Amino acid sequence: AQSVTQPDIHITVSEGASLELRCNYSYGATPYLFWYVQSPGQGLQLLLKYFSGDTLVQGIKGFEAEFKRSQSSFNLRKPSVHWSDAAEYFCAVAQSRAAGNKLTFGGGTRVLVKP
Amino acid sequence: SQTIHQWPATLVQPVGSPLSLECTVEGTSNPNLYWYRQAAGRGLQLLFYSVGIGQISSEVPQNLSASRPQDRQFILSSKKLLLSDSGFYLCACRLGTGAYEQYFGPGTRLTVT
């Protein structure tokens, strides 16, 4: 069965510093991978997705992610964080062969931004 | 583009009372629809999904149920709420074939007292 692991539960970063969130997945076939962001009390917003092709994908809000098949990773990065980036981030993999095309989510990483 | 509405935004209900949460989708047809729950400080738990009208699949046995009376309407219900039903309920949709990403509604905060 597929799984997604986000090793860091909390990350604190200073405003203007770079950010990297880790995501490791376990999936037998070519994965369809996603990063979502959730601000407190709100729904999830899709930041970016990877299906195939270029392993470095660009998303909204200045985020990018790199797919590394050899490491089963899909880490999210941002060169310079803004206070508004404080939120919870979820990595997910699509179960393309499963009924309902469900997503498997990681446990999330909460990002705190220091002024 | 699609828009997902959830109603109500917040709800406080006593234990043992019934529940009905509604999700409606605009801007797409024949979507897959999903209900998730987030308990405090926890990740996302898939509760139900639907691939069409009247078709409901349950992921977690519990005292909740779901229905899809129309193509773009998804309802989460309970006959008698438990304290453990408190949480943040999210509706999501997947657009047609070839797309795997899901889009989420704004959520409903349910507090069972």
Side-chain angles (χ1 to χ4, degrees):
Chain A
Q2 49 281 325
S3 64
V4 178
T5 302
Q6 294 180 244
D8 304 305
I9 296 175
H10 293 100
I11 284 182
T12 300
V13 61
S14 297
E15 191 169 14
S18 64
L19 174 69
E20 181 167 11
L21 303 183
R22 296 183 290 164
C23 172
N24 294 98
Y25 66 91
S26 172
Y27 191 61
T30 300
Y32 297 156
L33 296 159
F34 310 91
W35 274 100
Y36 287 87
V37 61
Q38 184 181 32
S39 296
Q42 297 187 21
L44 276 70
Q45 182 182 22
L46 180 66
L47 283 175
L48 47 78
K49 58 188 178 184
Y50 172 77
F51 288 172
S52 64
D54 194 346
T55 56
L56 185 64
V57 294
Q58 302 297 319
I60 62 172
K61 304 187 178 186
F63 284 93
E64 65 179 24
E66 186 171 12
F67 171 62
K68 293 185 177 180
R69 184 186 299 276
S70 61
Q71 299 178 20
S72 297
S73 69
F74 188 55
N75 294 350
L76 182 71
R77 299 194 293 253
K78 185 168 185 177
S80 177
V81 298
H82 186 261
W83 64 265
S84 59
D85 294 322
E88 189 151 24
Y89 294 79
F90 292 94
C91 181
V93 62
Q95 301 181 36
S96 60
R97 298 176 180 176
N101 298 112
K102 295 173 282 188
L103 294 182
T104 298
F105 285 88
T109 297
R110 186 168 298 279
V111 173
L112 303 176
V113 180
K114 295 190 301 184
Chain B
S1 64
Q2 76 291 333
T3 303
I4 303 169
H5 301 280
Q6 288 190 242
W7 185 87
T10 60
L11 190 60
V12 180
Q13 292 283 91
V15 168
S17 64
L19 173 73
S20 181
L21 303 181
E22 184 171 344
C23 169
T24 57
V25 180
E26 294 179 354
T28 186
S29 297
N30 196 30
N32 284 8
L33 297 173
Y34 307 84
W35 276 113
Y36 292 86
R37 177 171 60 200
Q38 275 185 305
R42 297 198 173 182
L44 291 150
Q45 180 186 35
L46 178 63
L47 302 176
F48 301 93
Y49 68 90
S50 171
V51 299
I53 296 173
Q55 301 179 62
I56 307 295
S57 296
S58 174
E59 290 292 296
V60 182
Q62 57 208 317
N63 70 321
L64 297 172
S65 62
S67 62
R68 186 170 176 177
Q70 301 179 41
D71 181 45
R72 290 173 288 179
Q73 184 184 30
F74 203 24
I75 296 172
L76 184 69
S77 304
S78 175
K79 293 181 179 178
K80 290 185 178 181
L81 284 167
L82 306 173
L83 285 173
S84 58
D85 292 323
S86 292
F88 192 51
Y89 288 81
L90 290 159
C91 178
C93 77
R94 172 183 166 266
L95 310 176
T97 57
Y100 291 95
E101 64 269 29
Q102 293 178 17
Y103 296 92
F104 285 78
T108 294
R109 172 73 60 191
L110 171 66
T111 304
V112 182
T113 61

